[in-house]
Amino acid sequence: MSRERIETSTLLSVGTALLLWSSAFAGIKAGLRAFEPGELALLRFLTASASLAAYAVVARMRLPRTGDLGRIALGGLFGITIYHLALNFGETAVSAGAASLIIASGPVFTAVLARIFLGERLTGWGWLGIAIAFSGVAIITLAEGGGLSFEPAAALVVVAAMSTAGYFVVTKPLLERYTPLEYTAYSMWLGTIPMLAFAPGLVSSIASAPRDAVLAVLYLGVFPGAIAYMLYSRALAKLPASVASSFLYVQPVMAAVIAWLWIREVPQALTIVGGAVALSGVTLVTTKGRERSVSAR
């Protein structure tokens, strides 16, 4: 397979995953109209886990190594349990657009952790790109009107952003031994187990929830859940963690547009300006940001 074809395939995986993840912020808002945050997370990932289980049976997926179970569980804890519970509880008081802006700070944490734990290094251009992209996120934040006030709900979304960084760093080495399907399935199954604490309330909530809310959560499970995670794992296997996570800066623009179409959250003009700035920073990170000793595989 040629280098150009690999890069195109990776870019398509990233783009599709980001589009699906961007839709999740509005989907969570739609689901929270009928479900408690923990119940929503559980129903979403029971759906995602069932989807992956069906596919795993067809694909005859191999079992994980016993020695890797701890690290896979840690990845599931960061990327599934902590991230989604913190985000869901945060979105009870934070708008979908604002939540996507805060999550966009995740690549900053990822770059720092990847340097410490994975030996990944960004050039001066890479760090400049991160600064430019983060300034774009700050511009979008102004579109919320007066900036974000870090009440507890917003702080929970910051926790979600930090857990994303932990997920990328834990996941990257494991993708050298497991396929994207294998790793996504095992980390998602293990990450869903702690959410079973919310099972008692889920049954009654499903019985009383309107159909639109249930369908929104099922959509979150199959598309931004199972499919998006598998696609991004595929991309992460090809790219350094710091570079793969830098694409998250593009998310706020897509999330704002989808929130406008789905739940009628009106995007501000500054969102477009900030998105353009963020995208320029991502471009700088991905084109000039890596030292030559760290290359895409």
Side-chain angles (χ1 to χ4, degrees):
M1 185 177 290
S2 67
R3 178 180 177 83
E4 291 76 13
R5 189 174 177 185
I6 291 174
E7 291 178 346
T8 300
S9 176
T10 300
L11 185 60
L12 286 173
S13 294
V14 170
T16 304
L18 285 177
L19 179 62
L20 294 174
W21 277 345
S22 296
S23 71
F25 296 99
I28 289 169
K29 278 289 187 182
L32 286 173
R33 294 170 180 170
F35 295 96
E36 293 297 320
E39 296 167 0
L40 189 154
L42 176 58
L43 178 57
R44 175 180 179 178
F45 283 98
L46 285 176
T47 303
S49 295
S51 301
L52 287 172
Y55 188 35
V57 170
V58 173
R60 297 184 179 181
M61 195 171 73
R62 59 179 174 163
L63 296 174
R65 303 175 186 175
T66 303
D68 289 336
L69 284 176
R71 293 198 66 170
I72 295 173
L74 185 61
L77 180 66
F78 282 133
I80 305 300
T81 314
I82 297 176
Y83 175 85
H84 289 283
L85 289 177
L87 179 60
N88 288 0
F89 277 98
E91 280 205 48
T92 59
V94 174
S95 70
S100 70
L101 301 175
I102 299 171
I103 292 299
S105 65
V108 174
F109 301 117
T110 302
V112 173
L113 291 179
R115 180 171 183 173
I116 295 172
F117 294 105
L118 301 181
E120 293 184 8
R121 293 184 180 276
L122 292 176
T123 65
W125 286 112
W127 289 109
L128 177 61
I130 284 178
I132 292 173
F134 194 70
S135 69
V137 171
I139 292 172
I140 302 172
T141 301
L142 296 177
E144 288 291 302
L148 291 173
S149 175
F150 268 28
E151 56 182 293
L156 282 173
V157 185
V158 174
V159 171
M162 295 175 67
S163 70
T164 296
Y167 174 77
F168 281 128
V169 172
V170 170
T171 296
K172 176 63 178 175
L174 290 167
L175 288 172
E176 296 178 359
R177 299 194 290 275
Y178 296 94
T179 67
L181 169 62
E182 291 169 345
Y183 179 77
T184 301
Y186 291 128
S187 63
M188 192 167 288
W189 294 337
L190 291 171
T192 302
I193 290 173
M195 296 180 185
L196 292 173
F198 300 99
L202 178 60
V203 176
S204 59
S205 292
I206 292 176
S208 61
R211 184 180 64 177
D212 288 350
V214 175
L215 290 176
V217 180
L218 295 180
Y219 165 81
L220 289 172
V222 175
F223 293 95
I227 294 175
Y229 270 87
M230 189 161 58
L231 287 173
Y232 220 80
S233 293
R234 184 178 183 278
L236 186 57
K238 306 286 185 180
L239 298 170
S242 54
V243 174
S245 68
S246 69
F247 286 99
L248 294 178
Y249 281 120
V250 185
Q251 224 174 212
V253 179
M254 294 189 287
V257 172
I258 294 171
W260 173 48
L261 294 172
W262 190 345
I263 57 175
R264 300 301 184 222
E265 277 190 6
V266 180
Q268 304 294 321
L270 278 177
T271 298
I272 300 174
V273 175
V277 174
L279 183 57
S280 68
V282 171
T283 302
L284 188 58
V285 172
T286 54
T287 56
K288 295 186 177 181
R290 286 175 287 165
E291 291 186 351
R292 293 184 179 180
S293 59
V294 180
S295 57
R297 298 194 312 124

